Amino acid sequence: MVLEGKSVFGGIAIGKLSVYGKKDRQVKRIKISDTEAEAERFHSAREKAKEQLTVLYEKALKEVGEVNAMIFEVHKMMLDDLDYIESVTNMIRSQEVNAEFAAATTGDNFAGMFSAMEDEYMRERAADVRDISNRIISVLQGTAEGKELGGEPSILLAEDLAPSETVQLDKSKVLSFVTKKGSANSHTAILARTMNIPALIGVDLEKLEEAEGKLGIVDGYEGKFYIEPDGETLSRYKKRKEEDEQKKRLLQELKGKENVTLDGKKIELYANIGGVADVANVLASDAGGIGLFRSEFLFLESEDYPSEETQFGAYKKVAENMAGKKVIIRTLDIGADKQADYFGLEKEENPAMGYRAIRICLDRKDMFKTQLRALYRASYYGTVAVMFPMIISVREVKQIKELIAEVKAELDQEKIPYKDMEIGIMIETPAAVMISDLLAKEVDFFSIGTNDLTQYTLAIDRQNPKLDNLYDSHHEAILRMLKMVADNGHKEGCWVGVCGELGADTTLTETFLRMGFDELSVTPSMILKVRDKIRKLDLGKCSG
Amino acid sequence: MKEFKYVIKDKEGIHARPAGLFVKEASAYPCTVTICKGDKETDAKRIFGIMGLGVKCGEEITVKVNGEKEEEAMAALSKFLEENL
């Protein structure tokens, strides 16, 4: 059986299902003759319950932080609420009933009041009122709260979980939470996120008890919940889970470690990104910086040329979020195959070799200068470098540098602060490779775009599926070009990196290191895999 | 008796946590403290009472203080609302 739910945290859990039953609170109505003594019993139970809440608060403070622990402070205040206390004691005195019954009835009445409110947040507070009444009743009855979770870790199924219940759970026994009720902001959701375990809410499971002891799978990525999955589904998820765990292990072992080979050769590992939103991924992946920030998204997402302010805002944000780590921003790289309507580019027979990238920028200088101004202004807020795509000649680089000089003079005049950025170019045309010795005299760094370089060098259109078997990114011609660019760059004091897909190809990592590359820029999810590879290499040994 | 008005700016309105903190603040003074929203009025030293008003973002409440140290109570509570809600 497969059910849908709303995922509050990703991940896969496979295990036995354990239904979290609320203890059936058999509260009997008993006639009491000494009502004063009974009221006193209630007061001391209330004090005891508050002591428990203080302990829970301290525990939650450590486990889920102050904001989430605050709920137990609120519970304590609720226990001190005069309306609540008066309601219970009045009931004991006037109806001559036991404290358990009075507390349960009052809890239900107050919960009813919240349930009737129009605000969803307030409706959810009904659970809190029942929670505090149940706590008092447990104290009065001398029973322990919560369910003892059996031997093996399991997937916990529940109607809903009260905050006190989640905090009291033995966390080492919980693989995942699945609840019928609850919201994305419920305590269960917060706890799941803090514990890094998958959790689903709003799962429409009719008879909870029937699932007890059965095998279940929680897919926190897709929001799916399987009960007694078939063999094929099970093995698919087992595989997925192993991959997940491997990734997690890698992360634990490799985070914060240097990208250094066994014999001490270091290389920078940066990330390729296509928008401001990817910065979080970059930071999580433990990249040393951003090696390729494609600025196209700013142009493709808008209806007209993005203003200097818009661009400045985006670049500045990335620079600030990277907190001093290097951010290499590539200027606009679009062509007839990838454009926005307002550019008004004509359809071309062969857009890969057409009017695109730096060719458009040097033709539409106003647009280009706006981007350069935004970049220079943003440079002040971090470590920003700028990189130009599709270069084929020294003349182009000189033209770019003239425009940069104009932009800097303007900013000086307007007293707008900026830093002197490193200037680099993409090496992605065979022409740039062949004159890389000359280009190196003009710039601070090279970054090789292997995708375009391969297509131009091998004369293979990547869009043509008939040529797939000929497209060989390990072609000797490409490898010789890489070596040539690295050597020519280094001779003139440039640092040299690779930002194409080849950078993440771990079968070439050793080759790159031996060629002396200074940097590899890869998609964030590949950073740790490449780091793993680097740390296992020994360049002192002959390559095998 | 003194009173002042305040418009709630917190997105979630007076939810459980600030209601609890407000009760703590109000309970520190001997004078009576009441909160009104529209024609509903409640004792501000009772958390269920405040939560029961269901005050949402953008709604106006009136806080009334009456009795001993009402001046201090008013200053403290107005500061509390500014800072927390």
Side-chain angles (χ1 to χ4, degrees):
Chain A
M1 177 162 57
V2 53
L3 295 162
E4 308 248 321
K6 188 165 179 282
S7 173
V8 291
F9 196 79
I12 307 284
I14 303 173
K16 218 176 77 180
L17 299 173
S18 173
V19 179
Y20 186 95
K22 305 258 177 211
K23 275 242 173 95
D24 206 6
R25 302 215 179 280
Q26 284 288 344
V27 177
K28 284 190 194 130
R29 181 183 175 129
I30 300 168
K31 193 161 163 63
I32 297 292
S33 48
D34 188 351
T35 53
E36 281 319 300
E38 194 62 12
E40 199 42 54
R41 235 185 108 229
F42 166 68
H43 282 301
S44 50
R46 203 169 60 84
E47 288 307 320
K48 185 81 195 302
K50 280 164 63 186
E51 282 168 29
Q52 288 179 357
L53 285 166
T54 307
V55 175
L56 279 178
Y57 174 77
E58 297 294 332
K59 187 164 184 272
L61 201 58
K62 288 192 206 102
E63 287 179 8
V64 291
E66 197 199 342
V67 173
N68 301 317
M70 188 63 201
I71 189 67
F72 298 113
E73 282 286 298
V74 171
H75 280 192
K76 267 169 81 176
M77 289 177 202
M78 288 177 171
L79 282 175
D80 276 332
D81 183 85
L82 289 173
D83 289 327
Y84 182 79
I85 296 171
E86 281 164 12
S87 167
V88 176
T89 48
N90 277 344
M91 210 176 287
I92 292 172
R93 290 193 181 104
S94 61
Q95 302 181 24
E96 300 181 333
V97 291
N98 53 328
E100 287 91 332
F101 181 80
T105 311
T106 302
D108 283 346
N109 290 346
F110 277 62
M113 173 186 91
F114 282 115
S115 300
M117 287 173 76
E118 47 184 283
D119 187 57
E120 193 197 329
Y121 172 84
M122 283 300 171
R123 278 204 301 273
E124 282 178 20
R125 301 283 73 76
D128 289 321
V129 189
R130 292 213 173 85
D131 201 15
I132 62 161
S133 287
N134 283 338
R135 179 170 303 284
I136 289 190
I137 294 163
S138 305
V139 174
L140 288 166
Q141 294 180 332
T143 51
E145 269 263 317
K147 168 175 169 150
E148 289 295 314
L149 294 175
E152 62 179 304
S154 53
I155 296 169
L156 205 64
L157 277 178
E159 276 288 322
D160 199 1
L161 286 167
S164 58
E165 290 169 331
T166 49
V167 167
Q168 283 166 115
L169 287 171
D170 178 356
K171 308 294 183 299
S172 64
K173 297 280 165 63
V174 185
L175 298 173
S176 168
F177 295 111
V178 176
T179 64
K180 285 171 78 169
K181 293 181 191 153
S183 70
N185 297 313
S186 67
H187 304 283
T188 313
I190 292 161
L191 188 71
R193 286 195 279 264
T194 319
M195 287 169 67
N196 278 321
I197 60 173
L200 301 179
I201 56 172
V203 175
D204 188 19
L205 191 59
E206 288 249 344
K207 291 196 177 103
L208 224 51
E209 316 75 47
E210 288 179 6
E212 178 75 40
K214 289 180 179 164
L215 183 70
I217 299 175
V218 176
D219 178 350
Y221 299 112
E222 306 283 333
K224 289 206 163 75
F225 175 51
Y226 298 82
I227 300 173
E228 295 189 314
D230 59 52
E232 192 265 323
T233 309
L234 185 62
S235 57
R236 184 159 49 92
Y237 274 107
K238 274 191 173 155
K239 192 161 164 269
R240 182 94 191 264
K241 188 164 179 282
E242 258 169 46
E243 287 168 6
D244 264 21
E245 276 165 8
Q246 201 191 345
K247 249 191 235 164
K248 263 188 212 159
R249 267 200 305 278
L250 211 58
L251 207 71
Q252 286 302 325
E253 285 168 23
L254 295 170
K255 262 209 156 165
K257 297 261 170 72
E258 275 190 307
N259 310 305
V260 60
T261 62
L262 294 169
D263 56 321
K265 170 91 179 152
K266 285 183 197 170
I267 189 165
E268 295 289 350
L269 268 184
Y270 290 174
N272 295 341
I273 64 167
V276 179
D278 297 332
V279 174
N281 278 338
V282 174
L283 293 170
S285 74
D286 205 25
I290 295 172
L292 168 62
F293 179 32
R294 304 179 181 93
S295 61
E296 290 83 76
F297 79 97
L298 282 167
F299 294 81
L300 297 176
E301 281 171 4
S302 60
E303 301 288 313
D304 201 348
Y305 294 108
S307 69
E308 181 181 321
E309 285 308 315
T310 305
Q311 295 190 51
F312 166 65
Y315 306 146
K316 172 170 176 265
K317 193 166 179 196
V318 174
E320 284 178 337
N321 286 345
M322 291 301 290
K325 287 183 178 175
K326 195 178 278 184
V327 178
I328 302 171
I329 302 176
R330 183 180 68 188
T331 58
L332 183 61
D333 182 10
I334 64 161
D337 51 339
K338 183 172 76 175
Q339 68 155 315
D341 289 344
Y342 62 85
F343 276 91
L345 299 180
E346 283 163 29
K347 195 174 180 317
E348 293 184 23
E349 286 299 319
N350 193 353
M353 295 190 181
Y355 184 63
R356 54 175 290 204
I358 201 70
R359 299 169 184 181
I360 298 178
C361 290
L362 289 174
D363 193 36
R364 301 184 181 182
K365 288 205 175 79
D366 286 346
M367 175 195 80
F368 191 39
K369 265 180 84 175
T370 303
Q371 182 168 34
L372 289 174
R373 266 183 70 102
L375 283 166
Y376 268 90
R377 285 174 60 193
S379 70
Y380 184 72
Y381 300 91
T383 310
V384 184
V386 59
M387 168 160 88
F388 303 96
M390 270 297 274
I391 298 294
I392 58 165
S393 69
V394 174
R395 190 168 152 265
E396 285 166 332
V397 180
K398 288 198 162 148
Q399 276 182 294
I400 292 167
K401 286 166 82 174
E402 276 167 28
L403 287 172
I404 288 175
E406 282 176 30
V407 164
K408 282 166 138 182
E410 283 172 23
L411 293 175
D412 283 336
Q413 209 166 23
E414 296 164 43
K415 296 200 166 50
I416 296 173
Y418 63 88
K419 285 186 196 164
D420 260 324
M421 292 190 281
E422 278 189 331
I423 296 170
I425 53 172
M426 296 275 295
I427 302 286
E428 52 190 338
T429 62
V433 174
M434 296 313 290
I435 58 163
S436 51
D437 55 333
L438 304 175
L439 291 168
K441 294 185 207 298
E442 301 292 332
V443 297
D444 301 308
F445 67 91
F446 286 156
S447 190
I448 305 180
T450 54
N451 304 4
D452 274 344
L453 185 59
T454 307
Q455 123 163 320
Y456 296 141
T457 304
L458 302 184
I460 288 175
D461 181 355
R462 292 192 78 188
Q463 313 298 327
N464 188 338
K466 281 189 191 147
L467 304 177
D468 277 355
N469 58 341
L470 289 175
Y471 186 91
D472 173 16
S473 53
H474 291 203
H475 194 291
E476 183 61 22
I478 305 298
L479 298 179
R480 285 188 195 186
M481 285 179 149
L482 291 170
K483 175 85 169 78
M484 186 176 172
V485 173
D487 289 347
N488 282 337
H490 288 149
K491 260 181 228 156
E492 295 294 338
C494 287
W495 63 262
V496 187
V498 174
C499 70
E501 270 170 37
L502 222 49
D505 183 341
T506 51
T507 62
L508 284 179
T509 308
E510 180 169 358
T511 308
F512 292 141
L513 282 157
R514 286 187 186 280
M515 286 180 180
F517 277 93
D518 305 281
E519 178 244 23
L520 298 175
S521 191
V522 303
T523 179
S525 62
M526 285 300 292
I527 296 273
L528 293 176
K529 271 191 194 150
V530 179
R531 176 176 296 167
D532 188 39
K533 177 74 183 182
I534 293 166
R535 293 177 63 84
K536 284 175 180 153
L537 288 173
D538 187 347
L539 301 180
K541 287 184 189 162
C542 293
S543 51
Chain B
M1 195 195 75
K2 293 201 169 352
E3 63 173 66
F4 68 95
K5 291 186 191 308
Y6 183 81
V7 177
I8 302 299
K9 295 184 203 75
D10 192 292
K11 279 206 310 291
E12 296 176 52
I14 305 188
H15 46 113
R17 185 170 179 265
L21 293 171
F22 191 87
V23 169
K24 255 192 178 170
E25 198 74 28
S27 304
Y29 298 92
C31 55
T32 62
V33 184
T34 51
I35 297 185
C36 318
K37 186 190 98 170
D39 52 5
K40 280 195 281 185
E41 181 168 325
T42 186
D43 181 350
K45 294 182 182 179
R46 303 185 179 200
I47 187 169
F48 285 133
I50 297 183
M51 288 172 70
L53 288 178
V55 183
K56 292 199 272 292
C57 182
E59 291 185 329
E60 188 183 67
I61 54 168
T62 308
V63 179
K64 295 179 188 164
V65 288
N66 192 9
E68 202 181 329
K69 293 200 176 168
E70 59 182 34
E71 297 266 349
E72 288 105 309
M74 193 166 99
L77 292 172
S78 140
K79 184 162 167 275
F80 174 88
L81 287 171
E82 289 286 349
E83 285 170 3
N84 294 283
L85 285 158

